[in-house]
Amino acid sequence: MLKILAPLALFRDPEVAPLFIARLVSSAGVGFGELALAWGVMGLGYGPGGLSLVLACNSVPAVLIIFTGVAGDRFRRHHILIAAETITCLAWLSLGICFLTKEAPLPLLCALGMLSGIATAMFLPTIRGIIADLLSGNGRLGGNALVNQTESIGLLIGLASSGMVVTALGPGWAASTRGVLCAVSALLLSRLNTPGWQQAKRSVLRDLRIGWREFTAHRWVWIMTLQYTVVIIAMVGYDDIAGPVYMAHGHGGAQAWGIISACEYTGALAGAFLGARWKPSRRILATAALPAAGAIPMVLMGVETPWLLLAGAAILPGACEAIYYVLWTTALQDIYAPDVLVRVNSWNIIASYVLMPATLLTAGPLVDEVGPQATVLATAALTLLATACALLALRTRDRNADGTTTVGVREQAAPMPTDT
């Protein structure tokens, strides 16, 4: 038990503790935002179609991820995170005002969603690289696990509380809460001190080419990226559209959906503890198999299982998702040099986010046409198919894919930080 809890000792390290506390606070805000946006947009009378349009606009800035990946390798990474949290704060405080006044036009909601999406594009690849700046060696596994644990606890708090806030006070207060919590997170992140890695002055296009070259250098990386893209598309259809619509039509409402989501993050909390200690002999194959668990709650919703049973079933995929994050993120940090790490992560996540607008614009009308149950059964089939294809492709992987060998990048293996 002491070994499992060992990563918690990082909370005593003043060099890294602000990061974990910031993730706890900001993730609680994300929990408030998830329910606030769904119920706020539908509460204004825009329905599933309007919700899918706002969410699509939120994902449009995803194309910027490859450019924010360049920024994450050029500048101090905690500065990028602070800027992202500040933008998110402004966007969600504005959304809170819109939901409170109950008179916001749909184009304004779409614009604010797009502003929040810009912050997401800055944040996602950078957070996956900052642990490599703050910790080294075996400490990275525990650090990645603790990032996931604090995010899970924050989401658990936010989702469990937001259901009651949305029900009792309305989505406007829940959206405003997310904005305030992002401001607190930005203040905490300002206490970090991360190095600048890039020494040479290069063009943005050359930086992009280097990132792409390193991303494609390892076969298992791009195979699992394709799997990740398909699974994320399926999960978005379930989490952002079909799930809330299903629950809003006489299956428990906002509070029940908040509890179901909270159960998923309870599982994630336990999964992160396991991920910090589990070292499978065939690490990549084990990691690639984990997303299949995401199909379980989809199938149960598709056959109209009572929401209490659905909440219990959400624990397993939550745990598997956390283990996946810890193993995958640590594998990338171990095999790539720090000066290309954020760019590699940006190429890893760009495809799923570029396809997000089309996914969301399709999901809303699809739910209207065939119903949420049929939609989630289709997303379950898509998740299982993607996992099966990835496992089949990885069976013929090279030695690198099992994690038994570590190959550095072709540029400098251990660049020195700059003072910029």
Side-chain angles (χ1 to χ4, degrees):
M1 180 61 69
L2 289 177
K3 289 183 178 180
I4 292 176
L5 297 178
L8 296 179
L10 292 171
F11 272 113
R12 298 198 300 268
D13 186 346
E15 300 295 324
V16 295
L19 172 66
F20 304 123
I21 300 172
R23 295 310 305 132
L24 176 68
V25 172
S26 182
S27 297
V30 173
F32 276 92
E34 283 191 14
L35 267 68
L37 188 62
W39 265 261
V41 173
M42 291 192 290
L44 290 173
Y46 296 118
L51 176 59
S52 66
L53 182 60
V54 174
L55 291 171
C57 290
N58 177 256
S59 61
V60 163
V63 69
L64 299 175
I65 285 177
I66 57 173
F67 296 102
T68 59
V70 172
D73 285 332
R74 284 191 174 192
F75 305 107
R76 296 179 184 270
R77 287 166 184 162
H78 73 289
H79 289 169
I80 301 294
L81 297 182
I82 291 169
E85 291 284 34
T86 302
I87 294 171
T88 305
C89 168
L90 296 175
W92 280 89
L93 287 176
S94 300
L95 281 169
I97 294 172
C98 290
F99 297 151
L100 287 169
T101 59
K102 301 185 184 299
E103 295 181 353
L106 187 58
L108 176 59
L109 299 179
C110 291
L112 292 174
M114 186 173 293
L115 182 62
S116 179
I118 292 172
T120 301
M122 298 169 62
F123 192 90
L124 284 176
T126 308
I127 192 64
R128 295 187 179 193
I130 196 168
I131 286 294
D133 292 343
L134 301 173
L135 298 168
S136 60
N138 292 332
R140 290 176 179 172
L141 189 66
N144 289 320
L146 195 53
V147 166
N148 195 277
Q149 288 163 2
T150 50
E151 289 177 346
S152 299
I153 293 172
L155 284 164
L156 179 61
I157 294 170
L159 289 167
S161 304
S162 63
M164 293 181 287
V165 172
V166 170
T167 301
L169 302 176
W173 289 105
S176 300
T177 299
R178 180 176 182 185
V180 171
L181 291 177
C182 286
V184 174
S185 175
L187 291 174
L188 289 166
L189 291 169
S190 68
R191 298 176 62 85
L192 295 175
N193 183 24
T194 57
W197 289 106
Q198 193 172 104
Q199 296 172 320
K201 297 296 183 181
R202 296 189 294 252
S203 69
V204 172
L205 289 180
R206 188 180 176 205
D207 274 347
L208 289 175
R209 287 197 300 269
I210 292 173
W212 173 255
R213 185 189 70 191
E214 300 302 338
F215 168 73
T216 57
H218 301 288
R219 183 170 174 266
W220 61 272
V221 174
W222 60 260
I223 287 174
M224 291 185 66
T225 294
L226 292 176
Q227 177 200 15
Y228 174 85
T229 299
V230 176
V231 170
I232 286 295
I233 288 172
M235 290 299 298
V236 165
Y238 166 73
D239 282 330
D240 290 352
I241 305 292
V245 171
Y246 174 82
M247 300 303 294
H249 286 76
H251 294 94
Q255 189 165 354
W257 186 241
I259 293 172
I260 291 170
S261 300
C263 285
E264 180 180 346
Y265 292 110
T266 300
L269 178 60
F273 277 107
L274 295 175
R277 304 305 306 171
W278 187 37
K279 296 181 180 179
S281 58
R282 307 185 74 175
R283 177 170 62 173
I284 299 305
L285 275 179
T287 305
L290 292 169
I296 296 173
M298 299 177 189
V299 171
L300 293 177
M301 181 177 288
V303 297
E304 298 193 47
T305 299
W307 74 264
L308 283 173
L309 294 178
L310 190 60
I315 294 175
L316 179 59
C320 290
E321 183 179 348
I323 297 171
Y324 180 98
Y325 175 87
V326 173
L327 296 179
W328 170 258
T329 305
T330 305
L332 293 184
Q333 291 169 354
D334 287 345
I335 203 169
Y336 289 105
D339 65 335
V340 297
L341 186 56
V342 175
R343 276 171 288 170
V344 169
N345 274 300
S346 70
W347 284 113
N348 168 238
I349 61 181
I350 181 65
S352 58
Y353 282 88
V354 165
L355 293 174
M356 203 72 74
T359 301
L360 292 165
L361 288 173
T362 303
L366 182 64
V367 170
D368 275 337
E369 182 68 24
V370 304
Q373 292 97 317
T375 302
V376 294
L377 288 175
T379 60
L382 194 61
T383 299
L384 294 174
L385 179 63
T387 301
C389 290
L391 290 172
L392 182 62
L394 290 169
R395 293 282 295 179
T396 58
R397 70 196 184 285
D398 56 23
R399 256 189 102 223
N400 249 2
D402 63 4
T404 58
T405 60
T406 300
V407 179
V409 295
R410 287 190 293 275
E411 292 205 318
Q412 51 190 353
M416 295 298 292
T418 69
D419 293 328
T420 58

